[in-house]
Amino acid sequence: MLRSSQPLTGPNRKRCREDETLLGMVLDEGGRGFIIDTRSAQAAKQARMTGGGTEPKSAYPQWRRLHRALERGRPLQESFIKLVEACNDTAITMDRWLSRLESCRWLSHVKAALSTACLAAQCMDREEASVLVHGAEGTDTTLLVTALAQVILDPSCRTLAGFQGLLEREWIEAGHPFHLRCARSAYSHARLKQEAPLFLLFLDCVWQLSRQFPFALEFGERLLLTLFDNTYASAYGTFLCNNEKERRESTHSLWAWLNQPGEKKKYLNPLYSHNTLVIWPSVEPQSIQLWQGLFFRWIRSSQYLDEAWAEIQRLVESS
């Protein structure tokens, strides 16, 4: 699996021989690959007018391009805002709640992200093909798809240490602009142009996987909630800034804190059982659920759920 930004073909359909050679070397003789573009075909075509574009078929004959449009900017942020507003309206009626949940389209974004990640995983696992994923800059929906596909395919990414490595590699070192995307929150009256909860969408998708496969992930929901909190407000430098260059200042690592024996124990899934198989999530609408542990956490106590997990952990340790 590879990831990149869009090719800079421009309106004159420029070619890059180095790119063509590089992608040609990825494939065996007679092999084939898939290019998953996280933009619509129309959006990719329009990008040529500003210098971007797509790979011309004539220059990449062994690669088949697939467009799977994922929202990444203002529409995704507005969806998040509408969902938070609906979740915090305690006077809402059942009909009104269902209507607002549908109209915000957050669960549709979750479904689309999981579906695209499954497509990438299927190309690799079932077609035994190489996959290149890109959108525009390659630092948003591209990372969402490649990171999710690895959780689906690779059991090592489902361990606590492996998941931390995945986040470091696919989000932090890959240059996801955390400062721009997570500058404020859904509660802010400001509407910053570049703000969008892409990383939150990733965490939600991982939660969907953990709910459908409760034994497959070594970590539990508490880790995902902690990562969400530290993305928007943190005493640690792991999710600060937009890239490695800006992050050079000396800060404490979130991982160092999480991996302390006393802390690490809080984030482990007591039901975890190592599974070497690929986990294929259902992406049917009935299978995608609202992440209540996050979106309802400020209006509904999690006391009983926390107590239940503590009891499960005690029983596992004593058995």
Side-chain angles (χ1 to χ4, degrees):
M1 179 177 288
L2 305 94
R3 51 175 163 76
S4 71
S5 58
Q6 65 180 322
L8 304 180
T9 55
N12 296 325
R13 299 180 181 272
K14 294 181 294 183
R15 295 176 60 178
C16 179
R17 304 292 181 179
E18 292 80 5
D19 280 358
E20 294 169 15
T21 301
L22 179 63
L23 288 189
M25 293 175 64
V26 169
L27 305 177
D28 297 328
E29 185 176 352
R32 60 172 180 164
F34 292 90
I35 298 172
I36 298 179
D37 195 325
T38 59
R39 304 166 295 176
S40 66
Q42 182 63 28
K45 184 177 180 180
Q46 291 175 345
R48 286 208 300 264
M49 303 308 297
T50 55
T54 57
E55 296 81 359
K57 294 181 180 180
S58 59
Y60 300 88
Q62 293 176 274
W63 292 84
R64 178 186 174 190
R65 188 171 67 249
L66 305 172
H67 289 276
R68 293 295 184 272
L70 297 176
E71 297 288 0
R72 56 180 289 271
R74 179 62 65 82
L76 187 62
Q77 178 68 7
E78 291 296 332
S79 175
F80 178 39
I81 292 170
K82 290 179 181 178
L83 175 59
V84 171
E85 290 174 345
C87 289
N88 285 278
D89 186 352
T90 55
I92 198 170
T93 64
M94 174 61 77
D95 290 344
R96 182 61 177 157
W97 158 249
L98 293 175
S99 175
R100 291 178 68 175
L101 180 61
E102 180 182 10
S103 65
C104 77
R105 301 193 67 249
W106 180 261
L107 296 184
S108 296
H109 297 313
V110 173
K111 172 181 167 58
L114 282 172
S115 298
T116 306
C118 284
L119 173 63
Q122 288 170 354
C123 289
M124 296 185 68
D125 182 68
R126 297 177 178 177
E127 301 293 331
E128 298 183 347
S130 296
V131 174
L132 168 64
V133 184
H134 71 66
E137 292 81 12
T139 55
D140 289 291
T141 52
T142 300
L143 308 184
L144 174 66
V145 173
T146 58
L148 282 175
Q150 289 176 70
V151 176
I152 292 170
L153 289 170
D154 188 354
S156 68
C157 292
R158 300 174 216 145
T159 66
L160 181 59
F163 189 66
Q164 291 177 19
L166 176 74
L167 298 183
E168 192 73 30
R169 179 178 68 251
E170 295 299 313
W171 288 91
I172 298 170
E173 294 177 356
H176 179 65
F178 283 98
H179 178 67
L180 289 175
R181 301 292 183 261
C182 309
R184 297 181 185 272
S185 72
Y187 293 95
S188 172
H189 294 293
R191 295 292 185 265
L192 301 184
K193 183 178 180 181
Q194 299 191 60
E195 190 169 7
L198 266 301
F199 187 65
L200 168 59
L201 181 58
F202 166 73
L203 295 177
D204 197 328
C205 290
V206 174
W207 178 81
Q208 303 288 337
L209 292 173
S210 71
R211 187 187 59 79
Q212 293 189 27
F213 300 93
F215 305 105
L217 277 64
E218 188 185 23
F219 50 89
E221 180 185 44
R222 188 169 184 176
L223 175 69
L224 302 177
L225 293 173
T226 299
L227 292 172
F228 166 77
D229 291 340
N230 280 272
T231 303
Y232 282 90
S234 180
Y236 302 90
T238 304
F239 297 111
L240 288 179
C241 307
N242 295 315
N243 50 55
E244 287 294 285
K245 182 179 180 181
E246 294 180 4
R247 209 175 285 117
R248 284 178 179 174
E249 294 183 15
S250 178
T251 59
H252 294 287
S253 169
L254 175 64
W255 312 132
W257 172 62
L258 288 179
N259 290 325
Q260 295 178 89
E263 286 295 323
K264 181 178 180 179
K265 183 179 179 181
K266 300 176 184 177
Y267 302 101
L268 295 177
N269 174 13
L271 301 178
Y272 173 67
S273 177
H274 182 67
N275 180 4
T276 60
L277 301 177
V278 177
I279 56 173
W280 297 110
S282 169
V283 293
E284 294 300 319
Q286 299 90 334
S287 300
I288 307 298
Q289 294 188 11
L290 181 66
W291 185 5
Q292 298 183 29
L294 173 64
F295 295 111
F296 290 160
R297 65 191 297 201
W298 291 284
I299 62 173
R300 191 176 68 186
S301 173
S302 63
Q303 174 188 349
Y304 299 114
L305 184 60
D306 293 340
E307 291 175 353
W309 274 107
E311 179 64 15
I312 292 172
Q313 189 169 36
R314 186 189 67 79
L315 290 174
V316 170
E317 292 175 349
S318 62
S319 62

